[in-house]
Structures are given as C-alpha cells and as structure tokens.
PDB file of all heavy atoms in Angstrom:
ATOM      1  N   PHE A   1       3.703  17.290  21.078  1.00  0.00           N
ATOM      2  CA  PHE A   1       4.669  16.244  21.112  1.00  0.00           C
ATOM      3  C   PHE A   1       6.085  16.879  20.738  1.00  0.00           C
ATOM      4  O   PHE A   1       6.202  17.949  20.203  1.00  0.00           O
ATOM      5  CB  PHE A   1       4.429  15.127  19.961  1.00  0.00           C
ATOM      6  CG  PHE A   1       4.663  15.580  18.610  1.00  0.00           C
ATOM      7  CD1 PHE A   1       5.891  15.417  17.987  1.00  0.00           C
ATOM      8  CD2 PHE A   1       3.560  16.219  17.813  1.00  0.00           C
ATOM      9  CE1 PHE A   1       6.085  15.797  16.617  1.00  0.00           C
ATOM     10  CE2 PHE A   1       3.839  16.472  16.509  1.00  0.00           C
ATOM     11  CZ  PHE A   1       5.034  16.377  15.878  1.00  0.00           C
ATOM     12  N   THR A   2       7.095  16.183  21.149  1.00  0.00           N
ATOM     13  CA  THR A   2       8.417  16.679  21.008  1.00  0.00           C
ATOM     14  C   THR A   2       9.248  15.700  20.123  1.00  0.00           C
ATOM     15  O   THR A   2       9.088  14.450  20.309  1.00  0.00           O
ATOM     16  CB  THR A   2       9.198  16.822  22.326  1.00  0.00           C
ATOM     17  OG1 THR A   2       8.564  17.770  23.131  1.00  0.00           O
ATOM     18  CG2 THR A   2      10.663  17.243  22.092  1.00  0.00           C
ATOM     19  N   LEU A   3       9.989  16.164  19.127  1.00  0.00           N
ATOM     20  CA  LEU A   3      10.727  15.288  18.247  1.00  0.00           C
ATOM     21  C   LEU A   3      12.204  15.710  18.428  1.00  0.00           C
ATOM     22  O   LEU A   3      12.532  16.831  18.244  1.00  0.00           O
ATOM     23  CB  LEU A   3      10.327  15.446  16.839  1.00  0.00           C
ATOM     24  CG  LEU A   3      10.931  14.374  15.898  1.00  0.00           C
ATOM     25  CD1 LEU A   3       9.876  14.104  14.671  1.00  0.00           C
ATOM     26  CD2 LEU A   3      12.285  14.862  15.226  1.00  0.00           C
ATOM     27  N   ALA A   4      12.990  14.767  18.737  1.00  0.00           N
ATOM     28  CA  ALA A   4      14.432  15.067  18.998  1.00  0.00           C
ATOM     29  C   ALA A   4      15.233  14.037  18.099  1.00  0.00           C
ATOM     30  O   ALA A   4      14.866  12.852  17.982  1.00  0.00           O
ATOM     31  CB  ALA A   4      14.856  14.857  20.420  1.00  0.00           C
ATOM     32  N   VAL A   5      16.348  14.489  17.421  1.00  0.00           N
ATOM     33  CA  VAL A   5      17.118  13.708  16.540  1.00  0.00           C
ATOM     34  C   VAL A   5      18.628  13.765  16.984  1.00  0.00           C
ATOM     35  O   VAL A   5      19.101  14.810  17.271  1.00  0.00           O
ATOM     36  CB  VAL A   5      17.036  14.167  15.088  1.00  0.00           C
ATOM     37  CG1 VAL A   5      17.940  13.402  14.198  1.00  0.00           C
ATOM     38  CG2 VAL A   5      15.630  14.154  14.659  1.00  0.00           C
ATOM     39  N   ASN A   6      19.258  12.522  17.076  1.00  0.00           N
ATOM     40  CA  ASN A   6      20.689  12.518  17.422  1.00  0.00           C
ATOM     41  C   ASN A   6      21.578  12.568  16.150  1.00  0.00           C
ATOM     42  O   ASN A   6      21.055  12.579  15.086  1.00  0.00           O
ATOM     43  CB  ASN A   6      20.952  11.278  18.338  1.00  0.00           C
ATOM     44  CG  ASN A   6      20.671  10.038  17.589  1.00  0.00           C
ATOM     45  OD1 ASN A   6      20.723   9.915  16.395  1.00  0.00           O
ATOM     46  ND2 ASN A   6      20.519   8.955  18.510  1.00  0.00           N
ATOM     47  N   ASP A   7      22.848  12.410  16.342  1.00  0.00           N
ATOM     48  CA  ASP A   7      23.774  12.423  15.294  1.00  0.00           C
ATOM     49  C   ASP A   7      23.702  11.260  14.328  1.00  0.00           C
ATOM     50  O   ASP A   7      24.235  11.327  13.238  1.00  0.00           O
ATOM     51  CB  ASP A   7      25.241  12.523  15.875  1.00  0.00           C
ATOM     52  CG  ASP A   7      25.381  13.805  16.622  1.00  0.00           C
ATOM     53  OD1 ASP A   7      24.712  14.793  16.231  1.00  0.00           O
ATOM     54  OD2 ASP A   7      26.395  13.939  17.419  1.00  0.00           O
ATOM     55  N   ARG A   8      23.107  10.154  14.820  1.00  0.00           N
ATOM     56  CA  ARG A   8      22.942   9.007  13.949  1.00  0.00           C
ATOM     57  C   ARG A   8      21.609   8.938  13.271  1.00  0.00           C
ATOM     58  O   ARG A   8      21.181   7.916  12.725  1.00  0.00           O
ATOM     59  CB  ARG A   8      23.158   7.692  14.810  1.00  0.00           C
ATOM     60  CG  ARG A   8      24.554   7.579  15.465  1.00  0.00           C
ATOM     61  CD  ARG A   8      24.686   6.345  16.159  1.00  0.00           C
ATOM     62  NE  ARG A   8      23.721   6.010  17.263  1.00  0.00           N
ATOM     63  CZ  ARG A   8      23.692   6.605  18.441  1.00  0.00           C
ATOM     64  NH1 ARG A   8      24.740   7.290  18.764  1.00  0.00           N
ATOM     65  NH2 ARG A   8      22.726   6.287  19.325  1.00  0.00           N
ATOM     66  N   PHE A   9      20.837  10.048  13.257  1.00  0.00           N
ATOM     67  CA  PHE A   9      19.584  10.245  12.627  1.00  0.00           C
ATOM     68  C   PHE A   9      18.591   9.307  13.138  1.00  0.00           C
ATOM     69  O   PHE A   9      17.841   8.702  12.428  1.00  0.00           O
ATOM     70  CB  PHE A   9      19.697  10.130  11.063  1.00  0.00           C
ATOM     71  CG  PHE A   9      20.586  11.154  10.450  1.00  0.00           C
ATOM     72  CD1 PHE A   9      21.904  10.776  10.007  1.00  0.00           C
ATOM     73  CD2 PHE A   9      20.178  12.474  10.347  1.00  0.00           C
ATOM     74  CE1 PHE A   9      22.731  11.772   9.504  1.00  0.00           C
ATOM     75  CE2 PHE A   9      21.091  13.451   9.807  1.00  0.00           C
ATOM     76  CZ  PHE A   9      22.249  13.159   9.381  1.00  0.00           C
ATOM     77  N   GLN A  10      18.685   9.128  14.478  1.00  0.00           N
ATOM     78  CA  GLN A  10      17.525   8.415  15.138  1.00  0.00           C
ATOM     79  C   GLN A  10      16.728   9.480  15.845  1.00  0.00           C
ATOM     80  O   GLN A  10      17.077  10.267  16.613  1.00  0.00           O
ATOM     81  CB  GLN A  10      18.154   7.469  16.259  1.00  0.00           C
ATOM     82  CG  GLN A  10      18.939   6.270  15.608  1.00  0.00           C
ATOM     83  CD  GLN A  10      19.545   5.471  16.747  1.00  0.00           C
ATOM     84  OE1 GLN A  10      20.070   5.956  17.680  1.00  0.00           O
ATOM     85  NE2 GLN A  10      19.463   4.046  16.605  1.00  0.00           N
ATOM     86  N   ALA A  11      15.426   9.283  15.533  1.00  0.00           N
ATOM     87  CA  ALA A  11      14.409  10.294  16.088  1.00  0.00           C
ATOM     88  C   ALA A  11      13.704   9.680  17.341  1.00  0.00           C
ATOM     89  O   ALA A  11      13.271   8.585  17.372  1.00  0.00           O
ATOM     90  CB  ALA A  11      13.450  10.628  15.033  1.00  0.00           C
ATOM     91  N   THR A  12      13.565  10.562  18.388  1.00  0.00           N
ATOM     92  CA  THR A  12      12.802  10.125  19.530  1.00  0.00           C
ATOM     93  C   THR A  12      11.608  11.061  19.536  1.00  0.00           C
ATOM     94  O   THR A  12      11.673  12.299  19.627  1.00  0.00           O
ATOM     95  CB  THR A  12      13.655  10.407  20.798  1.00  0.00           C
ATOM     96  OG1 THR A  12      14.828   9.466  20.772  1.00  0.00           O
ATOM     97  CG2 THR A  12      12.800   9.916  22.066  1.00  0.00           C
ATOM     98  N   ILE A  13      10.359  10.484  19.475  1.00  0.00           N
ATOM     99  CA  ILE A  13       9.134  11.180  19.589  1.00  0.00           C
ATOM    100  C   ILE A  13       8.470  10.945  20.889  1.00  0.00           C
ATOM    101  O   ILE A  13       8.156   9.851  21.256  1.00  0.00           O
ATOM    102  CB  ILE A  13       8.216  10.601  18.437  1.00  0.00           C
ATOM    103  CG1 ILE A  13       8.932  10.798  17.033  1.00  0.00           C
ATOM    104  CG2 ILE A  13       6.929  11.448  18.390  1.00  0.00           C
ATOM    105  CD1 ILE A  13       8.217   9.973  15.966  1.00  0.00           C
ATOM    106  N   THR A  14       8.237  11.977  21.646  1.00  0.00           N
ATOM    107  CA  THR A  14       7.648  12.033  23.021  1.00  0.00           C
ATOM    108  C   THR A  14       6.433  12.787  23.124  1.00  0.00           C
ATOM    109  O   THR A  14       6.239  13.959  22.606  1.00  0.00           O
ATOM    110  CB  THR A  14       8.717  12.602  23.973  1.00  0.00           C
ATOM    111  OG1 THR A  14       9.923  12.008  23.765  1.00  0.00           O
ATOM    112  CG2 THR A  14       8.298  12.291  25.412  1.00  0.00           C
ATOM    113  N   SER A  15       5.378  12.162  23.683  1.00  0.00           N
ATOM    114  CA  SER A  15       4.148  12.783  24.002  1.00  0.00           C
ATOM    115  C   SER A  15       3.614  12.253  25.298  1.00  0.00           C
ATOM    116  O   SER A  15       3.228  11.085  25.352  1.00  0.00           O
ATOM    117  CB  SER A  15       3.174  12.641  22.847  1.00  0.00           C
ATOM    118  OG  SER A  15       1.923  13.273  23.110  1.00  0.00           O
ATOM    119  N   GLY A  16       3.500  12.977  26.356  1.00  0.00           N
ATOM    120  CA  GLY A  16       3.133  12.483  27.692  1.00  0.00           C
ATOM    121  C   GLY A  16       4.061  11.443  28.112  1.00  0.00           C
ATOM    122  O   GLY A  16       5.293  11.687  28.190  1.00  0.00           O
ATOM    123  N   GLN A  17       3.522  10.279  28.460  1.00  0.00           N
ATOM    124  CA  GLN A  17       4.356   9.157  28.983  1.00  0.00           C
ATOM    125  C   GLN A  17       4.722   8.267  27.711  1.00  0.00           C
ATOM    126  O   GLN A  17       5.418   7.261  28.034  1.00  0.00           O
ATOM    127  CB  GLN A  17       3.547   8.392  29.998  1.00  0.00           C
ATOM    128  CG  GLN A  17       3.213   9.156  31.186  1.00  0.00           C
ATOM    129  CD  GLN A  17       4.315   9.711  32.002  1.00  0.00           C
ATOM    130  OE1 GLN A  17       5.316   9.031  32.190  1.00  0.00           O
ATOM    131  NE2 GLN A  17       4.320  11.066  32.156  1.00  0.00           N
ATOM    132  N   THR A  18       4.384   8.654  26.541  1.00  0.00           N
ATOM    133  CA  THR A  18       4.568   7.760  25.385  1.00  0.00           C
ATOM    134  C   THR A  18       5.955   8.232  24.705  1.00  0.00           C
ATOM    135  O   THR A  18       6.057   9.422  24.499  1.00  0.00           O
ATOM    136  CB  THR A  18       3.432   7.735  24.342  1.00  0.00           C
ATOM    137  OG1 THR A  18       2.264   7.373  25.055  1.00  0.00           O
ATOM    138  CG2 THR A  18       3.676   6.912  23.236  1.00  0.00           C
ATOM    139  N   GLU A  19       6.819   7.198  24.386  1.00  0.00           N
ATOM    140  CA  GLU A  19       8.042   7.613  23.609  1.00  0.00           C
ATOM    141  C   GLU A  19       8.295   6.522  22.522  1.00  0.00           C
ATOM    142  O   GLU A  19       8.247   5.406  22.772  1.00  0.00           O
ATOM    143  CB  GLU A  19       9.170   7.571  24.561  1.00  0.00           C
ATOM    144  CG  GLU A  19      10.490   7.952  23.904  1.00  0.00           C
ATOM    145  CD  GLU A  19      11.645   8.059  24.983  1.00  0.00           C
ATOM    146  OE1 GLU A  19      11.618   8.940  25.837  1.00  0.00           O
ATOM    147  OE2 GLU A  19      12.532   7.143  24.932  1.00  0.00           O
ATOM    148  N   TYR A  20       8.423   7.060  21.281  1.00  0.00           N
ATOM    149  CA  TYR A  20       8.820   6.194  20.247  1.00  0.00           C
ATOM    150  C   TYR A  20      10.226   6.609  19.695  1.00  0.00           C
ATOM    151  O   TYR A  20      10.725   7.710  19.849  1.00  0.00           O
ATOM    152  CB  TYR A  20       7.946   6.514  19.084  1.00  0.00           C
ATOM    153  CG  TYR A  20       6.544   5.878  19.075  1.00  0.00           C
ATOM    154  CD1 TYR A  20       5.501   6.556  19.568  1.00  0.00           C
ATOM    155  CD2 TYR A  20       6.254   4.651  18.578  1.00  0.00           C
ATOM    156  CE1 TYR A  20       4.167   6.043  19.544  1.00  0.00           C
ATOM    157  CE2 TYR A  20       5.008   4.121  18.526  1.00  0.00           C
ATOM    158  CZ  TYR A  20       3.922   4.796  19.134  1.00  0.00           C
ATOM    159  OH  TYR A  20       2.650   4.249  19.157  1.00  0.00           O
ATOM    160  N   GLN A  21      10.896   5.557  19.204  1.00  0.00           N
ATOM    161  CA  GLN A  21      12.177   5.762  18.662  1.00  0.00           C
ATOM    162  C   GLN A  21      12.174   5.217  17.183  1.00  0.00           C
ATOM    163  O   GLN A  21      11.652   4.166  16.955  1.00  0.00           O
ATOM    164  CB  GLN A  21      13.364   5.117  19.348  1.00  0.00           C
ATOM    165  CG  GLN A  21      13.726   5.832  20.708  1.00  0.00           C
ATOM    166  CD  GLN A  21      15.026   5.318  21.256  1.00  0.00           C
ATOM    167  OE1 GLN A  21      15.548   4.223  20.955  1.00  0.00           O
ATOM    168  NE2 GLN A  21      15.590   6.066  22.148  1.00  0.00           N
ATOM    169  N   VAL A  22      12.534   6.069  16.230  1.00  0.00           N
ATOM    170  CA  VAL A  22      12.286   5.816  14.768  1.00  0.00           C
ATOM    171  C   VAL A  22      13.659   6.072  14.078  1.00  0.00           C
ATOM    172  O   VAL A  22      14.268   7.131  14.308  1.00  0.00           O
ATOM    173  CB  VAL A  22      11.200   6.566  14.223  1.00  0.00           C
ATOM    174  CG1 VAL A  22      11.041   6.241  12.672  1.00  0.00           C
ATOM    175  CG2 VAL A  22       9.871   6.519  14.907  1.00  0.00           C
ATOM    176  N   ASN A  23      14.113   5.168  13.232  1.00  0.00           N
ATOM    177  CA  ASN A  23      15.300   5.332  12.415  1.00  0.00           C
ATOM    178  C   ASN A  23      14.990   6.185  11.301  1.00  0.00           C
ATOM    179  O   ASN A  23      14.071   6.000  10.476  1.00  0.00           O
ATOM    180  CB  ASN A  23      15.814   3.990  11.987  1.00  0.00           C
ATOM    181  CG  ASN A  23      16.290   3.174  13.242  1.00  0.00           C
ATOM    182  OD1 ASN A  23      16.749   3.721  14.200  1.00  0.00           O
ATOM    183  ND2 ASN A  23      16.185   1.817  13.105  1.00  0.00           N
ATOM    184  N   GLY A  24      15.772   7.253  11.144  1.00  0.00           N
ATOM    185  CA  GLY A  24      15.696   8.163   9.983  1.00  0.00           C
ATOM    186  C   GLY A  24      16.747   7.991   8.939  1.00  0.00           C
ATOM    187  O   GLY A  24      17.633   7.171   9.062  1.00  0.00           O
ATOM    188  N   VAL A  25      16.828   9.026   8.023  1.00  0.00           N
ATOM    189  CA  VAL A  25      17.777   8.936   6.972  1.00  0.00           C
ATOM    190  C   VAL A  25      18.458  10.355   6.812  1.00  0.00           C
ATOM    191  O   VAL A  25      17.773  11.330   7.226  1.00  0.00           O
ATOM    192  CB  VAL A  25      17.133   8.599   5.589  1.00  0.00           C
ATOM    193  CG1 VAL A  25      18.112   8.586   4.487  1.00  0.00           C
ATOM    194  CG2 VAL A  25      16.458   7.216   5.664  1.00  0.00           C
TER     195      VAL A  25
END
C-alpha cells in the first residue's frame, strides 16, 4: 500500500483500486 500526506495532514491510503482518505493530526 502507499500512504501520502498533504500539507493539511490529510492522509491518502492507496492499495490497488482502493483509496481511503483519513484526517490526521
């Protein structure tokens, strides 16, 4: 899986065709 975080601490978790967005701190 791949985890990417933007400047607003929002994480995008990607695996195959599945993508989650999770709010971080």
